[in-house]
Amino acid sequence: MFTINLHGKKSIYEQIRDQIMRFIGLGIIAPNDKMPSVRQLAYDLNINPNTVAKAYQELEKSGYIYILPKKGAFVADRHEKNDPFLSFRQVIAELKNEGYQSEELIEIINDMYGG
C-alpha cells in the first residue's frame, strides 16, 4: 500500500506522512480505521521505526490521526465543517507531490482573485 522512494528529494517520513494524508483524503483509509503499528509499518517498508514514529507524530499534531496508548494509531474523524480548508490542503499536498512550486500555486490563486 505504501511506496517509498529511497533516492527521492523528500525524506522518508514525509513520504509516509503525505501518503497517509492522501489516503485519508481519498477515503482509502476511513475515520477510526486502525493504522499499522509503527513497528509493523517499519518492518514492511524495511526502514527504521523512528522514521514511522516521526510521520505518525506529525500526523497526530496536524489532526489526521489520534494515538491511544497501548491500542495504536487511528484515523481521526476530520469533517469539512471542522476544517473548511481540508480539501484545499489535500489538493495542495497532491500538487506539491507532483512537483508544482509554491510560486505557481500562488499565481493561480492570485489570478482567481483578480490580483
Side-chain angles (χ1 to χ4, degrees), residues 6 16 19 30 41 52 56-58 60 63 81 85-86 91 93:
L6 297 175
I16 294 169
Q19 286 181 56
L41 188 54
V52 176
Y56 277 20
Q57 288 169 354
E58 286 207 0
E60 183 181 32
K81 64 182 180 181
F85 291 103
L86 179 59
V91 169

Side-chain angles (χ1 to χ4, degrees), residues 67-106:
I67 298 173
L68 299 176
K70 298 185 181 184
K71 300 223 186 271
F74 298 85
V75 176
D77 191 2
R78 296 174 54 106
H79 293 292
E80 287 292 326
K81 64 182 180 181
N82 295 337
D83 184 0
F85 291 103
L86 179 59
S87 296
F88 180 71
R89 291 176 199 277
Q90 292 165 347
V91 169
I92 297 298
E94 189 70 32
L95 291 170
K96 181 180 174 187
N97 286 337
E98 292 177 18
Y100 287 90
Q101 300 298 310
S102 61
E103 294 81 14
E104 296 172 278
L105 303 177
I106 291 168

Side-chain angles (χ1 to χ4, degrees), residues 1 19-20 22-31 33 75:
M1 184 156 148
Q19 286 181 56
I20 291 171
R22 186 169 46 252
F23 293 156
I24 291 170
L26 295 172
I28 295 169
I29 306 173
D33 278 357
V75 176

Side-chain angles (χ1 to χ4, degrees), residues 4-47:
I4 300 300
N5 180 354
L6 297 175
H7 305 291
K9 293 180 183 178
K10 195 176 283 193
S11 68
I12 295 172
Y13 88 87
E14 289 175 314
Q15 293 177 51
I16 294 169
R17 179 199 62 206
D18 292 349
Q19 286 181 56
I20 291 171
M21 288 170 54
R22 186 169 46 252
F23 293 156
I24 291 170
L26 295 172
I28 295 169
I29 306 173
N32 300 311
D33 278 357
K34 188 172 186 342
M35 299 294 298
S37 71
V38 168
R39 285 188 180 131
Q40 184 60 54
L41 188 54
Y43 176 81
D44 292 347
L45 297 174
N46 197 28
I47 60 174

